[in-house]
Amino acid sequence: MAKGIKKTGIPSWEELKASPGLPDADRLEEGPVAFIECVQEIPCNPCEDVCPFGAIEVGSPITNLPKLYGKKCTGCGLCVAACPGLVIFKVHKNYTDSTSLVEFPFEYHPLPKTGKTVRCVNREGKFVVEGKVVKVRNPKQFDATPLITVEVPKKYFLEVRSIERKRWC
Amino acid sequence: MRVKHHPILGEDRRKEDATIIVDGRKIKAIAGEPIAAALMAAGIRVFRKTPKKNQPRGVFCAIGRCTDCVMTVNGIPNVRTCVTPVEDGMVIETQNGLGKWREIR
Amino acid sequence: MKKTQVAIIGAGPAGLAAAIEIARAGGEVTLLDENHKPGGQLFKQIHKFFGSGEHRAGIRGFKIGEQLLEDTEKLGVNVLLDSPVYSIFEDFVIGYTHDGREKAIQAERIILATGASENALAFPGCTLPGVMGAGAAQTMINVHRVLPGKKIIMVGSGNVGLIVSYQLLQAGADVVALIEAAPEIGGYGVHASKIRRAGVAIYTSHTIQEVIGEDSVEGAVIVGLDEEWRPIKGTEKFIEVDTVCIAVGLSPLAELAWLAGCEFAFVPSLGGHIPKHDRNMETTIKGLYVAGDLTGIEEASSAMEEGRLAGIACAESLGLYSEEKARHLKEKVWARLDALRTGPFGERRRDAKRKLMDLMEGGADIG
């Protein structure tokens, strides 16, 4: 089976590891942090502009891949809502001893409610595990890109990247 | 089917305030929307039949370029329904071939 | 006959941006469009745009459109809607119709910003109701708020195919599959990732063999392609869908440029026959400018920049800007355009554009 973003639309682990937007293993242990899955050089830099802490650098040309400075990142999540490509996530590996938090953009109707159990999916849209919605953020500033935070068993924090859509149609 | 809720565009608060007559059947529509949108919302997909082989045609480009969606509107044939706004009481007919001009009372 | 200093044909992103630049320079502009509302295809773009802050990145397309309309209004641009232009005659007399009557307006300068239209794809069943352009589906869901179908297959993995698939999901439809004849996804990976997370299957090296249905689409047969793009027997797969969206590129709407007598170049990577133009966006006809998709298929961000460029150059030629002022303004636009045309996706377009512009200085024809 062919791998990689150009073949499948899903970045392979090799592509992700080679991108400068991922926090290192130490930083992942320390608390919530941005997880930038941007692996293609496209002309785009709102993530750099929106970060109040200078934790993301694109520089010039704007096709550079965004570089994450894990030490500066506070895990505020502003870049998650600002990324036009919807490929920035926020992960909090050690939320509890056994669970992690993953925050992701979710531009679908209806939004899940806090406290609800939802079906979490991976980058392929395949069901991984059930999780609990712990936060739904949708302030005006995010311009209709709501952010959902789910609590999932720790071993899935690198895998869970969204939830199943509810069909209203 | 109408897209009532939308995560980016919000709720559609427009009302179906017009009635159009499509092949003799009354259909609710929104005044000002393209005829093609009103028909699509009502689940109508065949807009005309071709002159030679009598094959069905519907919406293709939706911006007034391709003329696949033409119908007879108020007695006038070959009206591009994707760029012609709905008016209350409009009489719309599936067009056979090139259509015919005629008066509508 | 009515007269105007600058006539712009097409009130999409390129035409609006050009109009704003000329009005800002103190010029008098008439903007003509065949549609009932200005904005072209910008109002169906509901996603956040790429680029940088100066390209208005991170802002949704329709909001950029609202801003452009506000600016044109504030600057007093004269907008003639429901006014399809049918020809350009001698001495820049523009023929158009309005309310079923023929009209004419004469301009000192003309900017063509007529955009592009979607390509069709031929296969058995391609004319069945339910087979439509991806842009058509996008217009239906985002502008008119009507779903063209519930179960959809998308053909083509360029940015249009990927973005419209996502927007169909947002509107409540199911996109069952996206197929692409090439061995790789054509558009941005980020757009593909979004729809993959939502469960859309992407089949590369696949094409549509036929669409089945009595009076409208009831299903599609897709088939795998070998390295030479030939269908592989035995790989046919039936997919039950009610709608087939075609996203296989766009072609410039160049009729008016042909009618006006512009010289053309055939540039497949830009979408076909393109009117030759220089770095001022001026064609082989002095005083006739072009901007946007008509000059090569790109996206709204670069269309707006090209509109600005044409507007500034046009204002300069009318003496509204000094050469120095114009040069300064144009350099800024070019820097932004170059930024949009960098990286693996932009480079091809940038090179094609450069070659096209070289043609104006007597360069060799492009194969």
Side-chain angles (χ1 to χ4, degrees), chain B residues 46 49 55-56, chain C residues 128-129 211-219:
Chain B
V46 180
K49 296 283 179 83
Q55 288 174 339
Chain C
L128 266 180
V211 165
I212 293 160
E214 191 65 35
D215 258 349
S216 69
V217 176
E218 290 163 30

Side-chain angles (χ1 to χ4, degrees), chain C residues 10 51 61 73 84 98 141 149 156 170 196 220 227 246 284 299 324 347 352:
Chain C
E73 201 168 312
H98 183 77
I141 52 176
Q170 289 183 305
R196 290 302 317 263
E227 278 156 19
I246 308 292
T284 49
E299 74 310 280
E324 199 194 322
E347 269 163 13

Side-chain angles (χ1 to χ4, degrees), chain C residues 5-343:
Chain C
Q5 200 168 22
V6 183
I8 300 176
I9 302 165
L16 287 168
I20 290 166
E21 283 304 325
I22 291 161
R24 216 173 253 159
E28 184 256 328
V29 195
T30 305
L31 186 52
L32 295 104
D33 196 286
E34 66 177 331
N35 294 293
H36 194 59
K37 287 175 189 157
Q41 308 310 312
L42 205 45
F43 284 94
K44 66 189 194 193
Q45 312 298 336
I46 62 165
H47 55 284
K48 292 177 176 174
F49 276 25
F50 293 88
S52 66
E54 49 194 12
H55 304 114
R56 318 225 44 211
I59 303 188
R60 297 187 188 276
F62 67 101
K63 296 206 168 160
I64 298 174
E66 283 164 9
Q67 184 64 54
L68 289 176
L69 293 192
E70 207 181 300
D71 288 350
T72 36
E73 201 168 312
K74 239 186 267 167
L75 289 160
V77 174
N78 180 27
V79 187
L80 300 179
L81 297 169
D82 296 309
S83 300
V85 170
Y86 64 85
S87 195
I88 295 168
F89 302 104
E90 258 173 58
D91 302 322
F92 283 5
V93 172
I94 296 164
Y96 66 100
T97 62
H98 183 77
D99 242 351
R101 300 169 82 151
E102 271 189 65
K103 306 234 174 183
I105 186 167
Q106 187 173 31
E108 292 170 44
R109 302 283 185 277
I110 295 175
I111 300 176
L112 297 178
T114 43
S117 66
E118 296 193 270
N119 295 336
L121 189 67
F123 49 81
C126 68
T127 55
L128 266 180
V131 178
M132 66 177 70
Q138 194 184 27
T139 302
M140 282 299 166
I141 52 176
N142 296 344
V143 179
H144 306 310
R145 304 284 299 257
V146 174
L147 270 177
K150 288 183 183 172
K151 290 184 90 175
I152 298 168
I153 186 167
M154 179 67 67
V155 182
S157 73
N159 278 336
V160 171
L162 297 171
I163 290 172
V164 175
S165 293
Y166 181 58
Q167 293 175 355
L168 283 163
L169 299 172
Q170 289 183 305
D174 256 337
V175 178
V176 185
L178 183 148
I179 62 169
E180 166 61 56
E184 290 187 335
I185 292 164
Y188 291 171
V190 291
H191 291 313
S193 299
K194 263 190 311 208
I195 63 171
R196 290 302 317 263
R197 285 201 297 276
V200 177
I202 297 181
Y203 297 87
T204 51
S205 294
H206 273 74
T207 192
I208 198 146
Q209 184 167 289
E210 77 179 302
V211 165
I212 293 160
E214 191 65 35
D215 258 349
S216 69
V217 176
E218 290 163 30
V221 179
I222 65 169
V223 62
L225 297 174
D226 68 15
E227 278 156 19
E228 278 158 47
W229 301 55
R230 289 173 308 210
I232 306 168
K233 276 225 165 82
T235 61
E236 298 85 357
K237 190 176 155 123
F238 176 79
I239 302 181
E240 197 189 321
V241 289
D242 57 26
T243 303
V244 178
C245 287
I246 308 292
V248 294
L250 297 135
S251 296
L253 284 170
E255 295 90 337
L256 289 173
W258 285 110
L259 281 167
C262 293
E263 282 179 33
F264 274 72
F266 183 63
V267 193
S269 63
L270 291 175
H273 286 94
I274 316 283
K276 292 182 189 173
H277 57 274
D278 63 13
R279 282 177 67 85
N280 283 330
M281 308 309 292
E282 196 170 12
T283 63
T284 49
I285 294 171
K286 206 171 159 43
L288 183 70
Y289 298 78
V290 283
D293 273 354
L294 164 64
T295 74
I297 306 299
E298 291 189 85
E299 74 310 280
S301 306
S302 31
M304 287 185 278
E305 298 297 0
E306 284 193 338
R308 286 183 190 112
L309 209 51
I312 294 162
C314 192
E316 180 189 7
S317 80
L318 289 163
L320 299 168
Y321 281 137
S322 69
E323 202 186 318
E324 199 194 322
K325 171 87 180 165
R327 190 189 317 123
H328 175 70
L329 289 172
K330 284 189 283 187
E331 271 168 14
K332 282 212 277 193
V333 181
W334 268 110
R336 295 200 297 266
L337 257 178
D338 284 339
L340 287 174
R341 291 172 180 158
T342 47

Side-chain angles (χ1 to χ4, degrees), chain A residues 68-136:
Chain A
L68 177 76
Y69 293 99
K71 287 208 173 89
K72 290 188 189 172
C73 177
T74 65
C76 70
L78 288 180
C79 56
V80 182
C83 172
L86 309 188
V87 286
I88 307 185
F89 304 87
K90 189 175 101 185
V91 294
H92 186 179
K93 185 183 175 190
N94 300 318
Y95 178 60
T96 67
D97 284 347
S98 60
T99 62
S100 302
L101 296 183
V102 179
E103 188 171 45
F104 53 87
F106 192 75
E107 295 180 328
Y108 297 104
H109 175 89
L111 293 176
K113 294 222 160 46
T114 307
K116 287 273 183 229
T117 299
V118 287
R119 288 169 61 84
C120 300
V121 301
N122 61 13
R123 294 177 184 83
E124 253 181 278
K126 296 235 163 82
F127 174 72
V128 175
V129 67
E130 286 196 331
K132 196 176 88 179
V133 177
V134 299
K135 210 192 295 173
V136 176

Side-chain angles (χ1 to χ4, degrees), chain B residues 9-99:
Chain B
L9 300 167
E11 302 295 300
D12 187 357
R13 298 192 193 288
R14 296 174 304 166
K15 292 247 156 36
E16 288 182 336
D17 55 358
T19 304
I20 53 177
I21 297 135
V22 184
D23 294 333
R25 183 159 70 102
K26 280 186 182 170
I27 282 169
K28 285 276 177 207
I30 300 169
E33 74 178 334
I35 294 168
L39 300 192
M40 203 176 259
I44 297 169
R45 308 192 93 183
V46 180
F47 285 32
R48 69 179 175 103
K49 296 283 179 83
T50 56
K52 285 182 188 162
K53 294 187 176 172
N54 205 37
Q55 288 174 339
R57 292 287 190 274
V59 173
F60 182 77
C61 83
I63 55 168
R65 306 298 322 171
C66 76
T67 67
D68 236 15
C69 69
V70 298
M71 297 179 86
T72 301
V73 178
N74 289 342
I76 301 169
N78 301 310
V79 173
R80 295 174 300 168
T81 56
C82 70
V83 289
T84 305
V86 161
E87 287 165 20
D88 191 33
M90 255 179 177
V91 178
I92 294 150
E93 292 161 284
T94 303
Q95 185 171 312
N96 283 313
L98 301 173

